Amino acid sequence: MKKEIKLGVVCLGRKTFDYQAAEEIFEDIKRDLKDIEKVDYTIIEDLVIEVDEAQAAAKKISSENVDALIVISGTFHLGHLVLELDKVVDKPILLWGLNELPYNGGKIRLNSVCGVNLNSSNLYKSGNRQYYVNIGDQVDKDWIDAIRIKSALENAKIGIVGYRAKGFFNLSFDELRAFEETGALIDHYELKELWEFKVENSEVDAKKEQLKGVFDVSDISSEQLDKVASLSAKLQNFVDSKGLSALAIRCWPEFADNFGISPCAAMSLLQSEDYILGCEGDIEGTMSMLAHQAVGAETPFLADLSQVDLEEDYALLWHCGVAPCNLWDGKCNISLDSYFAGGRGVTADFVMKSDKFSVLRIDSAQGDYRVFLQKGEGIPMEKDLKGTYFKGRFEKNINDILYTVTNTGVAHHISVVYGDYTEPFKIFADIKDWEVIE
């Protein structure tokens, strides 16, 4: 389900052009906007023509705490108007230009695109880079999804249990730099706090039955099943009680060594229920999953480019057994296995479905943030390995992708979802002035 956001909407005009036609177009636009899911609006109902009208509109929209502002150039207009809006609202702006109408008596009727040009130049030269241009009869829904991403991160409370995995220095991050760039707050908890979290026996029993209904559990002991069920209940209640948007977990080596179980299978179950859980203490990977969820991508998961076949041009998108169980291909035996951590870990084992997919990594390096984006299609395969995985063939040759990843230092975890969700992230990166790596 997409992240709900609130947008301000203003249509600008000038009476020396066909403002009455612009008013009619604006009425159609308002009806169309209200059909878009999970968006609330503060709409200035009449055309804004004079400076005092722009000032009043700015105060009203600002008071409604919108996430972003749509400014439609109904006709060409005064250059003051967008600046009056920007200095008060101070949010990302979509500059929307309309297709020109047929000429009437040899006179241009709207001159809307020229209005967009005026607005973009005024904003750019005044130092505002948080604008994006849309020309046409329909709003750019990818821009709306980009605002969903921005809002989801700004309002996120992300937990980290423990720390990053041992030796994974590339998953380190600067908390306050992350806050500056995204608005997300990070709260730290000790591993013991999660493991000792109190849950009711009835909740554990319910999770046990749920696990048995999803997985073949014949290869693990009853004690291991009990521990997975208990941890599933603890994880769910922990996230809910702390009010967390997402949780990153240092899942090894302490879990298996000290608690006798790994969290992989429990995470697989809960992720299928829309909990955002990142493994190996990867905060930026977890942010990437949360951002994917904001645009409506179902059950994102973290994966490695674990096996790259340069001749056959594919990569195995694998992890040790943590992917959401609802992504099972429906063909192989979906099971729990204790191969991980010398038999002390319990992981999910299955091949994931083959379909079109896209990947994302929100990543930082030496203080700079960037987004890594790719897309491709899954290749059917047999269940030959432990863990959760599928073969992916990207639109770009795997040699080129591997070169790009290694030469830009992108971390080895990527958020993977089924479907193409790349365009909103390009717009989001443009709004944030982040580099896009493709």
Side-chain angles (χ1 to χ4, degrees), residues 238-287:
F238 185 87
V239 171
D240 290 346
S241 68
K242 304 295 183 184
L244 299 177
S245 311
L247 180 67
I249 303 168
R250 179 177 163 105
C251 45
W252 63 271
E254 291 84 4
F255 258 94
D257 289 348
N258 299 341
F259 308 136
I261 198 72
S262 63
C264 306
M267 291 169 70
S268 174
L269 184 68
L270 292 178
Q271 287 186 99
S272 73
E273 299 173 346
D274 295 323
Y275 284 85
I276 299 295
L277 303 172
C279 47
E280 298 176 320
D282 183 2
I283 285 289
E284 290 173 346
T286 305
M287 280 185 185

Side-chain angles (χ1 to χ4, degrees), residues 147-191:
I147 301 304
R148 297 184 203 274
I149 297 164
K150 186 174 183 293
S151 177
L153 294 177
E154 285 176 346
N155 292 286
K157 180 182 177 183
I158 302 175
I160 179 168
V161 176
Y163 187 47
R164 59 164 171 76
K166 185 177 181 180
F168 286 4
F169 304 104
N170 62 329
L171 302 186
S172 300
F173 74 105
D174 182 330
E175 290 186 33
L176 292 179
R177 179 64 175 151
F179 175 75
E180 179 184 8
E181 287 290 335
T182 69
L185 283 171
I186 317 297
D187 276 338
H188 175 266
Y189 307 93
E190 296 297 336
L191 289 168

Side-chain angles (χ1 to χ4, degrees), residues 284-352:
E284 290 173 346
T286 305
M287 280 185 185
S288 304
M289 297 165 70
L290 189 63
H292 259 151
Q293 186 186 63
V295 296
E298 295 183 1
T299 53
F301 61 96
L302 286 184
D304 299 339
L305 293 177
S306 190
Q307 175 190 324
V308 173
D309 191 315
L310 302 180
E311 292 186 3
E312 296 295 327
D313 187 25
Y314 72 80
L316 192 71
L317 281 75
W318 175 94
H319 227 194
C320 54
V322 71
C325 56
N326 62 306
L327 301 181
W328 169 49
D329 71 357
K331 299 174 183 177
C332 72
N333 180 40
I334 180 170
S335 59
L336 299 185
D337 194 284
S338 60
Y339 84 96
F340 183 64
R344 295 182 303 251
V346 174
T347 68
D349 278 5
F350 58 89
V351 178
M352 286 181 273

Side-chain angles (χ1 to χ4, degrees), residues 198-210 229-230 232-234 236-237:
K198 301 298 182 184
V199 292
E200 299 294 331
N201 291 334
S202 59
E203 295 176 285
V204 177
D205 291 340
K207 288 298 181 189
K208 187 189 298 186
E209 292 305 310
Q210 191 178 358
S230 175
S232 299
K234 288 172 193 253
Q236 182 171 351
N237 281 275

Side-chain angles (χ1 to χ4, degrees), residues 420-433:
D420 181 3
Y421 293 92
T422 53
E423 288 305 315
F425 288 96
K426 293 178 184 179
I427 298 172
F428 170 72
D430 185 59
I431 291 170
K432 300 295 294 183
D433 196 26

